[in-house]
């Protein structure tokens, strides 16, 4: 199903959690099977040591691991960082995810193992509201998410249960069409993606995730 994969991490002032994320990425690269992988970090104008840490991580890796970092001089927002990375991505599928690893990279392995991916569909969203999802989050975030989902459904007529989970998988040809059309550089870019896909009549498949709340993410 997946022969090659670009994994995109937007990064903004993440120096406190990057070492943990690097260990997770190294574990995934060692254990993954059957597909080529490239890792793309996008430093979104960080004011801490994130960019330097990523550069040092890349230098320390085996050259066979295709890892690179893109640098934005000013903070543009998550949407802007993802647009840049999708433009530069080269492999056949694109996974956008959060560097805090609230959803493990091994979630994709689980999807493949359980044969959740189908050749007929080109977009898959991790959904924290899926009946098979395992979600650990704080009370305030849970209430906020419920209100947001209600408003999105009511105002925008979007039937997707969870538009904001950062773990999303796209066929490259679809991502290359959709992301350049996104006007918002902020977190509301997710809604634009859903609306663009709806306009193009491209179906979104929501899949279960194991999701853990990370403080300061």
């Amino acid at each position: 199903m997946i022969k090659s994969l670009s994994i995109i991490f937007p990064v903004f002032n993440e120096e406190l959690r990057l070492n943990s994320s690097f260990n997770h990425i190294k574990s995934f690269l060692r254990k993954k099977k059957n597909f080529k992988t490239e890792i793309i970090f996008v430093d979104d104008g960080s004011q801490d040591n994130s960019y330097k840490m990523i550069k040092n991580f890349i230098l320390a890796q085996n050259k066979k691991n295709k890892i690179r970092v893109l640098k934005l001089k000013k903070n543009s927002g998550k949407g802007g960082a993802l647009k840049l990375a999708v433009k530069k991505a080269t492999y056949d599928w694109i996974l956008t995810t959060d560097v805090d690893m609230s959803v493990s990279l091994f979630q994709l392995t689980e999807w493949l193992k359980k044969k959740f991916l189908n050749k007929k569909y080109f977009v898959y969203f991790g959904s924290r509201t899926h009946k098979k999802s395992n979600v650990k989050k704080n009370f305030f975030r849970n209430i906020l998410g419920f209100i947001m989902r209600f408003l999105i459904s009511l105002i925008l007529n979007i039937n997707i249960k969870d538009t904001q989970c950062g773990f999303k998988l796209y066929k490259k040809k679809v991502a290359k069409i959709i992301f350049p059309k996104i006007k918002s550089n902020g977190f509301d870019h997710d809604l634009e993606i859903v609306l663009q896909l709806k306009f193009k009549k491209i179906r979104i498949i929501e899949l279960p995730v194991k999701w853990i709340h990370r403080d300061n993410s």
Side-chain angles (χ1 to χ4, degrees):
M1 177 68 187
I2 293 180
K3 294 183 179 179
S4 63
L5 175 72
S6 299
I7 304 176
I8 296 173
F9 294 103
V11 177
F12 179 64
N13 292 344
E14 293 282 6
E15 66 177 6
L16 295 180
R17 72 172 93 245
L18 276 176
N19 283 326
S20 174
S21 300
F22 293 154
N23 289 333
H24 186 92
I25 291 168
K26 287 189 291 185
S27 177
F28 177 77
L29 291 176
R30 282 196 307 269
K31 295 177 181 178
K32 72 172 180 65
K33 297 178 181 179
N34 303 325
F35 55 85
K36 298 186 298 180
T37 304
E38 69 172 349
I39 305 289
I40 304 175
F41 294 96
V42 189
D43 185 281
D44 189 18
S46 293
Q47 298 170 339
D48 62 3
N49 289 316
S50 293
Y51 182 71
K52 182 179 179 181
M53 291 175 69
I54 295 169
K55 291 286 287 185
N56 289 338
F57 170 68
I58 294 171
L59 289 172
Q61 300 312 300
N62 189 316
K63 297 301 181 183
K64 72 177 183 179
N65 292 328
K66 190 175 180 181
I67 308 174
R68 53 185 164 144
V69 58
L70 308 175
K71 174 70 172 173
L72 290 167
K73 292 182 179 180
K74 294 182 179 180
N75 177 247
S76 68
K78 186 178 180 180
L82 291 179
K83 280 192 286 185
L84 174 62
V86 167
K87 182 179 179 180
K88 300 293 185 178
T90 60
Y91 283 168
D92 197 38
W93 285 85
I94 296 175
L95 176 69
T96 65
T97 189
D98 297 326
V99 80
D100 67 0
M101 303 297 173
S102 52
V103 178
S104 165
L105 293 177
F106 290 101
Q107 184 66 69
L108 178 63
T109 307
E110 191 71 11
W111 286 356
L112 291 168
K113 180 181 177 181
K114 293 185 176 180
K115 298 182 179 180
F116 285 157
L117 308 186
N118 188 307
K119 291 182 180 180
K120 295 190 297 182
Y121 304 115
F122 304 131
V123 180
Y124 299 86
F125 281 13
S127 174
R128 293 162 294 186
T129 64
H130 195 286
K131 63 182 180 180
K132 293 184 179 180
S133 288
N134 183 350
V135 176
K136 296 179 182 179
K137 57 184 174 180
N138 62 30
F139 177 78
F140 174 76
R141 191 159 187 167
N142 196 32
I143 294 298
L144 189 63
F146 175 81
I147 293 171
M148 188 171 185
R149 288 191 299 272
F150 174 76
L151 291 175
I152 288 170
S153 177
L154 181 67
I155 297 171
L156 299 179
N157 192 29
I158 290 175
N159 294 322
I160 300 301
K161 293 295 193 329
D162 186 2
T163 61
Q164 302 307 115
C165 180
F167 200 83
K168 296 179 170 71
L169 179 68
Y170 307 86
K171 189 76 171 177
K172 182 179 73 171
K173 64 181 181 181
V174 171
K176 296 280 189 180
I177 292 171
I178 296 300
F179 274 84
K181 297 181 181 295
I182 304 304
K183 299 293 190 291
S184 172
N185 286 333
F187 280 90
D188 50 343
H189 77 278
D190 289 299
L191 298 179
E192 281 199 72
I193 289 172
V194 173
L195 291 171
Q196 286 289 341
L197 290 167
K198 183 178 180 181
F199 178 74
K200 296 285 187 182
K201 293 182 171 54
I202 298 172
R203 183 177 175 184
I204 299 168
I205 305 298
E206 291 190 275
L207 295 178
V209 292
K210 182 177 181 181
W211 191 91
I212 300 174
H213 169 75
R214 306 293 188 190
D215 289 333
N216 303 315
S217 64

